[in-house]
Amino acid sequence: MKLFVIGGDSRIGYMAEELGARGEAVTGLGISSTSIPVRLLTEGVREADAVILGVPATRDNETVFAPHYSGLLPLEGVLKACLPQTPLLCGMPGSFLETRCKEAGIPLIDYFAREELALLNAVPTAEGAVEIAMRELPITLWQARCLVVGFGRIGKYLSRILTALGAKVTVSARKAKDFSLARMLGYDAVHTESITRSARNFDVIFNTVPEKVIDAAVLSTLPASALIIDLASLPGGVDTEAARAFGVKRIHALSLPGKVAPVTAGKILCDTVRNIFSERN
């Protein structure tokens, strides 16, 4: 297949290289890889069997997210060059891009919504969160009191790593089956709605819930030494203003797979993209 990759962070560059290594005809513009042939925007899009953007596809609804490109890549230029049958693959497209693609008759596929990608992305995300905790905490994770808010894909794998390091792990959840699973795996468990009563007991809190679950009520109970590592997508799960007012350190760790393990993340993306093409025949 002729694939045109535009923008994205380092993992997109490695994804492009991996796709090329597996036999696809890959060209690009504004990507981190220097081994992928460069094409002009319009001709690259028009001659491609599929166009691939990064994660997110855009941050301002005007330009393609391309941190490795020195100029600006107009999003509208991509859409106008796309033929109606040419699929546009990206991560977290947003409502604006979804609407524009629907208007233009362009098949839009959010590879970030794929379960196989979400599951494997939990690995570099969890490892990155542990690296941040090790760097920021004045204590070891061994014997550290850790609260993992949310027991989804990331929460499960992160809890496993922390336990292996000797941390004392408590997870928060809302569903009865998650409480049972947490206890079966040897974790303490609390209800997410009641963490205000126990938050003060932890050295570090890892949040994976994309809702404002760590609000002023929770933050007011935390000691000044507490650390919050927020892994939730924008706008995150922490009341930023309240954290600042109470002097609690909160690190919003976004896009960790592309930062801490771009090669692995790129290979995961490559597998996901190839799965999409296989299903579309």
Side-chain angles (χ1 to χ4, degrees), residues 7-224:
D9 56 19
S10 296
R11 66 185 135 172
I12 302 301
Y14 287 112
M15 176 206 68
E17 292 179 0
E18 188 70 13
L19 286 167
R22 299 193 193 184
E24 311 296 354
V26 183
T27 56
L29 179 62
I31 63 177
S32 61
S33 174
T34 58
S35 64
I36 299 297
V38 177
R39 298 291 299 276
L40 295 176
L41 182 65
T42 300
E43 69 176 24
V45 172
R46 286 181 178 170
E47 296 177 10
D49 295 316
V51 177
I52 306 176
L53 307 183
V55 186
T58 178
R59 285 186 170 171
D60 58 9
N61 293 333
E62 294 182 0
T63 59
V64 175
F65 175 61
H68 294 281
Y69 190 65
S70 58
L72 298 176
L73 297 171
L75 182 62
E76 195 63 30
V78 175
L79 299 177
K80 287 182 177 180
C82 273
L83 299 176
Q85 71 272 20
T86 303
L88 178 63
L89 283 68
C90 65
M92 301 170 62
S95 58
F96 174 82
L97 183 55
E98 289 174 350
T99 300
R100 284 292 293 113
C101 285
K102 186 175 182 180
E103 292 171 348
I106 300 170
L108 178 65
I109 302 170
D110 182 2
Y111 53 68
F112 212 64
R114 300 274 299 196
E115 183 65 14
E116 72 267 37
L117 176 63
L119 283 169
L120 291 179
N121 254 358
V123 176
T125 300
E127 289 187 7
V130 168
E131 187 273 334
I132 293 171
M134 287 180 167
R135 184 179 67 241
E136 297 292 336
L137 286 171
I139 60 174
T140 61
L141 282 175
W142 172 75
Q143 296 292 287
R145 300 166 299 172
C146 302
L147 173 63
V148 178
V149 181
F151 202 50
R153 307 177 194 92
I154 296 172
K156 289 183 176 69
Y157 195 76
L158 177 58
S159 299
R160 178 183 175 186
I161 294 177
L162 291 170
T163 300
L165 290 170
K168 299 176 180 178
V169 178
T170 299
V171 302
S172 85
R174 290 191 174 104
K175 298 178 181 177
K177 66 175 184 178
D178 288 332
F179 284 112
S180 297
L181 178 59
R183 289 166 180 153
M184 182 184 75
L185 295 175
Y187 311 131
D188 290 331
V190 297
H191 198 285
T192 301
E193 304 302 330
S194 64
I195 59 176
T196 304
R197 295 197 294 270
S198 59
R200 68 173 69 88
N201 300 321
F202 299 99
D203 301 303
V204 56
I205 298 175
F206 300 88
N207 176 61
T208 69
V209 179
E211 303 171 18
K212 197 170 288 186
V213 291
I214 304 180
D215 54 18
V218 176
L219 291 162
S220 66
T221 69
L222 299 180

